[in-house]
């Protein structure tokens, strides 16, 4: 008997970043996780998205990162540990038993790199919505989330490059993709 799929957890992350290479001894780390959920029966969102700040362990928030995301070192310093948040996500969202999605593979790669297996907050069923979108619409290349919204004449809501807002916008794109799939 197959696994029940009744919701999709949509995840976006923001990470420390620099205009060029990271300073010596630093690496890109998750500093914000956004989560939005889709009820796959009704194709509606389960409430507002969640936005969670993560305190980096071996990097600092650069000026470039602040310009891109709006996040400051002070914001990141107020975050919780990634391990604590992974446990929180597993408990609150039952995320190990549900499929999850992101716009591209960046999020999956970041969690794979930063989370030991015992702390990994998601199951193995990951959906790359960026690739799926391009295949569904017969595009010759993948689009960024903001360009995909424009492609469907959907207005971007919230602040681009804030994880909760981006997760919400990605979930809205996914809903439109699923609606198209149900029409055929």
């Amino acid at each position: 008997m197959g696994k029940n799929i009744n919701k999709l957890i949509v995840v976006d992350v923001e990470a420390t970043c620099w205009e060029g290479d990271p300073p010596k001894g630093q690496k890109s780390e998750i500093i914000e996780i956004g989560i939005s959920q889709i009820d796959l029966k009704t194709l509606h969102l389960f409430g507002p998205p969640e936005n969670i700040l993560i305190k980096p362990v071996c990097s600092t928030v650069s000026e470039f990162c602040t310009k891109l995301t709006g996040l400051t070192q002070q914001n990141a310093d107020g975050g919780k540990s990634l391990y604590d948040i992974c446990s929180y996500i597993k408990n609150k969202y039952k995320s190990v038993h549900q499929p999850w999605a992101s716009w591209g593979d960046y999020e999956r790669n970041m969690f794979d790199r930063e989370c030991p297996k015992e702390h990994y907050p998601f199951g193995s069923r990951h959906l790359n919505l960026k690739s799926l979108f391009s295949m569904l619409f017969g595009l010759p290349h993948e689009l960024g989330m903001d360009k995909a919204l424009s492609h469907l004449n959907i207005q971007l809501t919230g602040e681009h490059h804030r994880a909760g807002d981006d997760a919400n916008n990605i979930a809205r794109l996914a809903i439109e993709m699923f609606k198209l799939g149900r029409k055929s």
Side-chain angles (χ1 to χ4, degrees), residues 94-115:
K94 308 299 182 223
S95 55
V96 174
H97 305 290
Q98 297 294 333
W100 68 290
S102 60
W103 197 257
D105 277 331
Y106 180 76
E107 284 72 13
R108 184 181 56 78
N109 290 332
M110 287 298 286
F111 280 105
D112 284 350
R113 192 182 83 195
E114 288 198 49
C115 297

Side-chain angles (χ1 to χ4, degrees), residues 14-88:
E14 300 303 329
T16 52
C17 55
W18 302 267
E19 201 155 8
D21 291 332
K24 187 175 179 158
Q26 295 192 41
K27 65 175 185 164
S28 184
E29 293 179 273
I30 296 170
I31 54 173
E32 187 177 49
I33 301 171
I35 299 175
S36 196
Q37 295 182 94
I38 302 170
D39 180 325
L40 293 173
K41 289 181 181 143
T42 65
L43 294 182
H44 288 98
L45 296 173
F46 282 106
E50 184 163 13
N51 201 60
I52 307 164
L53 290 171
I54 307 296
K55 185 174 183 167
V57 175
C58 61
S59 64
T60 56
V61 178
S62 69
E63 189 176 315
F64 173 79
C65 188
T66 297
K67 284 180 185 174
L68 180 67
T69 66
L71 294 166
T72 65
Q73 185 64 46
Q74 186 175 9
N75 296 134
D77 287 342
K80 298 200 181 326
S81 82
L82 180 59
Y83 299 127
D84 289 345
I85 294 305
C86 287
S87 286
Y88 167 78

